[in-house]
Amino acid sequence: MPNPQLNSNGELRHLLALNGLPKDILTYILDTASSFVSVSDREVKKVPLMRGKSVFNLFFENSTRTRTTFEIAAKRLSADVINLNIASSSTSKGESLLDTVDNLTAMSADMFVVRHAQSGAPFLIARHLNENGLDHIHVVNAGDGRHAHPTQGLLDMYTIRHYKKDFSNLTVAIVGDVLHSRVARSDIHALKTLGVPEIRVIGPTTLLAPAMKDMGIRMFNDMNEGLKGADVIIMLRVQNERINGALLPSAQEFFKSYGLTPERLALAKPDAIVMHPGPMNRGVEIDSAVADGDQAVILSQVTYGIAVRMAVMSILAGN
């Protein structure tokens, strides 16, 4: 079955998930992103690659940070950006997802950036556009349910490549609520495709997905064991609704067992980097001394996130 993200020439037409995308496409996106980052590494250039194009941010689920980075990225490409907070508009009046898309298509949309609480919503929109011959409109998944968050996965890969240069000798540890994390899924697919030899997931049994063992991923319930010799530590945000429920007894208990403290970080390699998709729960997943320390690259992730989203949108737009 053909990959719905690729056209007949094997080129990217939508970015829906990292699973199934070949290594050369992931590398091409990362290489394109690096062309947008300035030599100082602190800012992202403005270019006219999408002048005259309209990007619609369709956020059916709130996320100010992700929406803002997509908006900045589109504006740096000189696109026209329309933000729609659909959670409080048309769909709450009974209009279906595809009705909303059809109406916006009639307004000359060139690209939809979609965030939705339901897994698969961006795929549904992409299929609907393809079936209706609207191949010139592209869909970017900005996070769907527990399924995927491909641009976060790509910006994480960009960050790892920037600091570690090469994927082929790394040990990467992903810590926390792996079971419900679309970021973890996207990261794991990308890490495997890019050739990382050892991927570990660390967390309580209630928050790990047993099927990951079949993917060759090492699973640890003991944080200290899991962090030994790691080159990269990716801390996941613990959703508040999991705490004090059946899955986690309390935030304090989680921090005691799985919070990243300076003492635990010392078990990893001396040059290990610490990452987090944000927003951080300080004192739950991560100690402030680590979050603000020299090994944390969390603010760099934000900068690179703009460049990576620019790369994805410009490639989809045909540049």
Side-chain angles (χ1 to χ4, degrees), residues 259-307:
L260 187 60
T261 60
E263 297 74 27
R264 288 194 170 123
L265 177 54
L267 297 167
K269 289 209 181 127
D271 63 347
I273 58 170
V274 175
M275 299 166 60
H276 194 299
M280 288 183 288
N281 293 313
R282 290 171 183 259
V284 181
E285 306 112 27
I286 192 164
D287 191 292
S288 283
V290 175
D292 302 326
D294 293 340
Q295 286 171 267
V297 297
I298 298 162
L299 292 177
S300 294
Q301 285 176 269
V302 177
T303 303
Y304 300 149
I306 294 169

Short mmCIF file of all heavy atoms in Angstrom, two decimals, residues 259-307:
data_model
loop_
_atom_site.label_atom_id
_atom_site.label_comp_id
_atom_site.label_asym_id
_atom_site.label_seq_id
_atom_site.Cartn_x
_atom_site.Cartn_y
_atom_site.Cartn_z
N GLY A 259 12.17 11.45 38.48
CA GLY A 259 12.57 12.83 38.20
C GLY A 259 14.06 12.89 37.87
O GLY A 259 14.87 12.17 38.46
N LEU A 260 14.43 13.75 36.92
CA LEU A 260 15.84 13.86 36.55
C LEU A 260 16.52 14.89 37.45
O LEU A 260 16.29 16.09 37.34
CB LEU A 260 15.98 14.26 35.08
CG LEU A 260 17.42 14.23 34.54
CD1 LEU A 260 18.03 12.82 34.66
CD2 LEU A 260 17.48 14.72 33.10
N THR A 261 17.35 14.39 38.36
CA THR A 261 18.10 15.22 39.31
C THR A 261 19.57 15.27 38.87
O THR A 261 20.00 14.45 38.06
CB THR A 261 18.03 14.60 40.71
OG1 THR A 261 18.61 13.28 40.64
CG2 THR A 261 16.59 14.49 41.21
N PRO A 262 20.36 16.20 39.41
CA PRO A 262 21.79 16.23 39.08
C PRO A 262 22.48 14.89 39.39
O PRO A 262 23.37 14.46 38.65
CB PRO A 262 22.34 17.36 39.95
CG PRO A 262 21.17 18.27 40.17
CD PRO A 262 19.97 17.37 40.25
N GLU A 263 22.08 14.24 40.49
CA GLU A 263 22.70 12.95 40.87
C GLU A 263 22.42 11.88 39.81
O GLU A 263 23.30 11.10 39.45
CB GLU A 263 22.16 12.48 42.23
CG GLU A 263 22.48 13.38 43.41
CD GLU A 263 21.66 14.68 43.44
OE1 GLU A 263 20.52 14.70 42.90
OE2 GLU A 263 22.18 15.69 43.97
N ARG A 264 21.18 11.85 39.33
CA ARG A 264 20.84 10.85 38.29
C ARG A 264 21.50 11.18 36.96
O ARG A 264 21.95 10.30 36.24
CB ARG A 264 19.32 10.76 38.13
CG ARG A 264 18.66 10.08 39.31
CD ARG A 264 17.23 9.69 38.98
NE ARG A 264 16.73 8.83 40.04
CZ ARG A 264 15.63 9.10 40.75
NH1 ARG A 264 14.93 10.19 40.51
NH2 ARG A 264 15.24 8.28 41.69
N LEU A 265 21.55 12.46 36.64
CA LEU A 265 22.19 12.87 35.38
C LEU A 265 23.66 12.45 35.37
O LEU A 265 24.21 12.09 34.31
CB LEU A 265 22.06 14.39 35.21
CG LEU A 265 22.72 15.02 33.98
CD1 LEU A 265 22.25 14.36 32.68
CD2 LEU A 265 22.43 16.52 33.93
N ALA A 266 24.29 12.44 36.53
CA ALA A 266 25.71 12.05 36.63
C ALA A 266 25.94 10.59 36.24
O ALA A 266 27.08 10.19 35.94
CB ALA A 266 26.21 12.30 38.04
N LEU A 267 24.88 9.77 36.20
CA LEU A 267 25.01 8.37 35.78
C LEU A 267 25.17 8.24 34.26
O LEU A 267 25.69 7.26 33.75
CB LEU A 267 23.79 7.56 36.22
CG LEU A 267 23.57 7.45 37.73
CD1 LEU A 267 22.17 6.92 38.03
CD2 LEU A 267 24.64 6.55 38.36
N ALA A 268 24.66 9.24 33.53
CA ALA A 268 24.81 9.24 32.07
C ALA A 268 26.23 9.65 31.70
O ALA A 268 27.06 9.93 32.57
CB ALA A 268 23.79 10.20 31.46
N LYS A 269 26.53 9.68 30.41
CA LYS A 269 27.86 10.10 29.97
C LYS A 269 28.09 11.57 30.38
O LYS A 269 27.13 12.35 30.44
CB LYS A 269 27.98 9.95 28.46
CG LYS A 269 28.03 8.48 28.05
CD LYS A 269 28.82 8.29 26.78
CE LYS A 269 28.82 6.80 26.37
NZ LYS A 269 28.38 6.61 25.00
N PRO A 270 29.34 11.96 30.62
CA PRO A 270 29.62 13.33 31.08
C PRO A 270 29.14 14.40 30.09
O PRO A 270 28.81 15.51 30.50
CB PRO A 270 31.15 13.36 31.21
CG PRO A 270 31.58 11.94 31.29
CD PRO A 270 30.55 11.12 30.57
N ASP A 271 29.10 14.06 28.80
CA ASP A 271 28.66 15.03 27.79
C ASP A 271 27.22 14.77 27.32
O ASP A 271 26.82 15.23 26.25
CB ASP A 271 29.61 15.04 26.59
CG ASP A 271 29.63 13.69 25.86
OD1 ASP A 271 29.10 12.69 26.42
OD2 ASP A 271 30.14 13.63 24.72
N ALA A 272 26.45 14.04 28.13
CA ALA A 272 25.05 13.75 27.75
C ALA A 272 24.26 15.05 27.67
O ALA A 272 24.51 16.00 28.43
CB ALA A 272 24.42 12.82 28.78
N ILE A 273 23.31 15.09 26.73
CA ILE A 273 22.42 16.25 26.64
C ILE A 273 21.04 15.87 27.18
O ILE A 273 20.62 14.70 27.10
CB ILE A 273 22.30 16.80 25.20
CG1 ILE A 273 21.80 15.72 24.22
CG2 ILE A 273 23.62 17.40 24.74
CD1 ILE A 273 21.44 16.25 22.83
N VAL A 274 20.35 16.87 27.74
CA VAL A 274 19.02 16.68 28.31
C VAL A 274 18.02 17.46 27.47
O VAL A 274 18.19 18.66 27.22
CB VAL A 274 18.96 17.17 29.77
CG1 VAL A 274 17.54 17.07 30.33
CG2 VAL A 274 19.94 16.38 30.64
N MET A 275 16.95 16.77 27.04
CA MET A 275 15.92 17.37 26.20
C MET A 275 14.56 17.24 26.85
O MET A 275 14.34 16.39 27.70
CB MET A 275 15.94 16.70 24.81
CG MET A 275 17.26 16.86 24.09
SD MET A 275 17.47 15.76 22.67
CE MET A 275 16.10 16.26 21.64
N HIS A 276 13.63 18.11 26.42
CA HIS A 276 12.25 18.06 26.92
C HIS A 276 11.36 18.76 25.89
O HIS A 276 11.71 19.85 25.43
CB HIS A 276 12.15 18.78 28.27
CG HIS A 276 10.87 18.52 29.02
ND1 HIS A 276 9.62 18.85 28.51
CD2 HIS A 276 10.63 17.96 30.23
CE1 HIS A 276 8.69 18.50 29.38
NE2 HIS A 276 9.28 17.95 30.43
N PRO A 277 10.22 18.15 25.51
CA PRO A 277 9.37 18.80 24.49
C PRO A 277 8.63 20.03 25.00
O PRO A 277 8.12 20.81 24.21
CB PRO A 277 8.39 17.68 24.10
CG PRO A 277 8.32 16.80 25.30
CD PRO A 277 9.69 16.84 25.91
N GLY A 278 8.57 20.22 26.32
CA GLY A 278 7.87 21.37 26.90
C GLY A 278 6.36 21.21 26.82
O GLY A 278 5.85 20.42 26.03
N PRO A 279 5.63 21.95 27.64
CA PRO A 279 6.15 22.72 28.76
C PRO A 279 6.58 21.80 29.90
O PRO A 279 5.98 20.75 30.10
CB PRO A 279 4.96 23.60 29.16
CG PRO A 279 3.75 22.89 28.64
CD PRO A 279 4.17 22.11 27.45
N MET A 280 7.62 22.20 30.63
CA MET A 280 8.17 21.36 31.69
C MET A 280 7.34 21.48 32.97
O MET A 280 6.87 22.56 33.30
CB MET A 280 9.59 21.80 32.03
CG MET A 280 10.62 21.47 31.00
SD MET A 280 12.27 21.97 31.58
CE MET A 280 12.19 23.75 31.46
N ASN A 281 7.23 20.37 33.66
CA ASN A 281 6.73 20.38 35.05
C ASN A 281 7.97 20.28 35.95
O ASN A 281 8.48 19.19 36.20
CB ASN A 281 5.82 19.19 35.33
CG ASN A 281 4.51 19.26 34.56
OD1 ASN A 281 3.86 20.29 34.53
ND2 ASN A 281 4.15 18.16 33.93
N ARG A 282 8.47 21.42 36.40
CA ARG A 282 9.65 21.39 37.29
C ARG A 282 9.26 20.74 38.61
O ARG A 282 8.18 20.99 39.14
CB ARG A 282 10.14 22.81 37.54
CG ARG A 282 10.77 23.47 36.32
CD ARG A 282 11.05 24.93 36.56
NE ARG A 282 11.58 25.58 35.37
CZ ARG A 282 12.88 25.86 35.17
NH1 ARG A 282 13.77 25.54 36.10
NH2 ARG A 282 13.27 26.46 34.07
N GLY A 283 10.12 19.88 39.09
CA GLY A 283 9.84 19.19 40.34
C GLY A 283 8.94 17.97 40.16
O GLY A 283 8.60 17.31 41.13
N VAL A 284 8.55 17.69 38.91
CA VAL A 284 7.80 16.45 38.62
C VAL A 284 8.64 15.56 37.72
O VAL A 284 9.01 14.45 38.08
CB VAL A 284 6.42 16.75 37.97
CG1 VAL A 284 5.65 15.43 37.72
CG2 VAL A 284 5.60 17.67 38.86
N GLU A 285 8.98 16.06 36.50
CA GLU A 285 9.86 15.27 35.62
C GLU A 285 11.32 15.67 35.78
O GLU A 285 12.21 14.87 35.51
CB GLU A 285 9.55 15.50 34.13
CG GLU A 285 8.14 15.29 33.74
CD GLU A 285 7.45 16.57 33.34
OE1 GLU A 285 8.11 17.53 32.87
OE2 GLU A 285 6.24 16.61 33.51
N ILE A 286 11.54 16.94 36.13
CA ILE A 286 12.91 17.45 36.03
C ILE A 286 13.18 18.45 37.15
O ILE A 286 12.33 19.27 37.49
CB ILE A 286 13.11 18.07 34.62
CG1 ILE A 286 14.58 18.36 34.33
CG2 ILE A 286 12.25 19.31 34.42
CD1 ILE A 286 14.86 18.61 32.84
N ASP A 287 14.37 18.34 37.72
CA ASP A 287 14.81 19.27 38.76
C ASP A 287 15.25 20.57 38.08
O ASP A 287 15.87 20.55 37.02
CB ASP A 287 16.01 18.62 39.48
CG ASP A 287 16.39 19.36 40.74
OD1 ASP A 287 16.88 20.50 40.61
OD2 ASP A 287 16.23 18.80 41.83
N SER A 288 14.95 21.70 38.70
CA SER A 288 15.33 23.00 38.11
C SER A 288 16.84 23.10 37.88
O SER A 288 17.29 23.73 36.91
CB SER A 288 14.87 24.15 39.00
OG SER A 288 13.48 24.35 38.82
N ALA A 289 17.63 22.49 38.76
CA ALA A 289 19.09 22.54 38.59
C ALA A 289 19.51 21.88 37.28
O ALA A 289 20.50 22.29 36.65
CB ALA A 289 19.77 21.86 39.77
N VAL A 290 18.78 20.86 36.85
CA VAL A 290 19.07 20.20 35.56
C VAL A 290 18.50 21.02 34.41
O VAL A 290 19.16 21.27 33.40
CB VAL A 290 18.50 18.76 35.53
CG1 VAL A 290 18.69 18.13 34.16
CG2 VAL A 290 19.16 17.90 36.60
N ALA A 291 17.24 21.46 34.56
CA ALA A 291 16.57 22.20 33.48
C ALA A 291 17.34 23.47 33.11
O ALA A 291 17.36 23.87 31.95
CB ALA A 291 15.15 22.56 33.90
N ASP A 292 17.97 24.10 34.11
CA ASP A 292 18.70 25.35 33.88
C ASP A 292 20.21 25.12 33.77
O ASP A 292 20.98 26.08 33.69
CB ASP A 292 18.42 26.34 35.01
CG ASP A 292 16.93 26.64 35.15
OD1 ASP A 292 16.24 26.66 34.12
OD2 ASP A 292 16.46 26.82 36.30
N GLY A 293 20.63 23.86 33.77
CA GLY A 293 22.06 23.53 33.78
C GLY A 293 22.68 23.50 32.40
O GLY A 293 22.00 23.62 31.37
N ASP A 294 24.00 23.28 32.37
CA ASP A 294 24.77 23.32 31.13
C ASP A 294 24.42 22.20 30.16
O ASP A 294 24.65 22.34 28.95
CB ASP A 294 26.27 23.24 31.44
CG ASP A 294 26.76 24.48 32.17
OD1 ASP A 294 26.06 25.51 32.10
OD2 ASP A 294 27.82 24.41 32.82
N GLN A 295 23.93 21.07 30.67
CA GLN A 295 23.67 19.94 29.78
C GLN A 295 22.27 19.99 29.15
O GLN A 295 21.99 19.23 28.23
CB GLN A 295 23.87 18.62 30.54
CG GLN A 295 25.34 18.32 30.79
CD GLN A 295 25.55 17.13 31.72
OE1 GLN A 295 25.69 17.31 32.93
NE2 GLN A 295 25.56 15.93 31.18
N ALA A 296 21.41 20.88 29.63
CA ALA A 296 20.07 21.00 29.06
C ALA A 296 20.14 21.79 27.75
O ALA A 296 20.79 22.83 27.68
CB ALA A 296 19.14 21.70 30.04
N VAL A 297 19.47 21.28 26.72
CA VAL A 297 19.45 21.95 25.40
C VAL A 297 18.01 22.29 25.02
O VAL A 297 17.66 22.36 23.85
CB VAL A 297 20.13 21.07 24.33
CG1 VAL A 297 21.61 20.86 24.66
CG2 VAL A 297 19.43 19.71 24.19
N ILE A 298 17.19 22.53 26.04
CA ILE A 298 15.74 22.66 25.86
C ILE A 298 15.40 23.94 25.09
O ILE A 298 14.53 23.93 24.22
CB ILE A 298 15.04 22.59 27.23
CG1 ILE A 298 15.31 21.20 27.86
CG2 ILE A 298 13.54 22.83 27.11
CD1 ILE A 298 15.06 21.11 29.35
N LEU A 299 16.12 25.04 25.36
CA LEU A 299 15.85 26.28 24.63
C LEU A 299 16.35 26.19 23.19
O LEU A 299 15.74 26.76 22.28
CB LEU A 299 16.47 27.48 25.35
CG LEU A 299 15.80 27.82 26.69
CD1 LEU A 299 16.52 28.98 27.38
CD2 LEU A 299 14.32 28.14 26.53
N SER A 300 17.43 25.46 22.96
CA SER A 300 17.90 25.23 21.59
C SER A 300 16.84 24.47 20.79
O SER A 300 16.64 24.74 19.60
CB SER A 300 19.21 24.44 21.59
OG SER A 300 20.24 25.19 22.16
N GLN A 301 16.17 23.52 21.44
CA GLN A 301 15.10 22.78 20.76
C GLN A 301 14.05 23.73 20.21
O GLN A 301 13.52 23.52 19.12
CB GLN A 301 14.43 21.79 21.72
CG GLN A 301 15.23 20.55 22.05
CD GLN A 301 14.49 19.70 23.09
OE1 GLN A 301 14.68 19.86 24.29
NE2 GLN A 301 13.63 18.81 22.63
N VAL A 302 13.72 24.77 20.99
CA VAL A 302 12.68 25.72 20.56
C VAL A 302 13.14 26.46 19.30
O VAL A 302 12.40 26.58 18.33
CB VAL A 302 12.34 26.71 21.70
CG1 VAL A 302 11.33 27.74 21.23
CG2 VAL A 302 11.81 25.95 22.92
N THR A 303 14.40 26.94 19.32
CA THR A 303 14.94 27.64 18.14
C THR A 303 14.95 26.72 16.92
O THR A 303 14.51 27.11 15.83
CB THR A 303 16.38 28.13 18.42
OG1 THR A 303 16.37 28.95 19.57
CG2 THR A 303 16.95 28.90 17.25
N TYR A 304 15.46 25.50 17.11
CA TYR A 304 15.55 24.57 15.98
C TYR A 304 14.15 24.16 15.50
O TYR A 304 13.97 23.84 14.33
CB TYR A 304 16.36 23.33 16.39
CG TYR A 304 17.78 23.64 16.79
CD1 TYR A 304 18.44 22.87 17.75
CD2 TYR A 304 18.47 24.72 16.23
CE1 TYR A 304 19.74 23.16 18.13
CE2 TYR A 304 19.77 25.01 16.62
CZ TYR A 304 20.40 24.23 17.57
OH TYR A 304 21.68 24.53 17.95
N GLY A 305 13.18 24.18 16.42
CA GLY A 305 11.81 23.84 16.04
C GLY A 305 11.27 24.77 14.97
O GLY A 305 10.53 24.33 14.07
N ILE A 306 11.63 26.04 15.04
CA ILE A 306 11.16 26.99 14.01
C ILE A 306 11.80 26.64 12.67
O ILE A 306 11.14 26.56 11.64
CB ILE A 306 11.50 28.44 14.44
CG1 ILE A 306 10.68 28.80 15.68
CG2 ILE A 306 11.21 29.42 13.29
CD1 ILE A 306 11.10 30.09 16.35
N ALA A 307 13.11 26.37 12.68
CA ALA A 307 13.81 26.04 11.43
C ALA A 307 13.29 24.74 10.82
O ALA A 307 13.11 24.63 9.60
CB ALA A 307 15.31 25.92 11.70
#
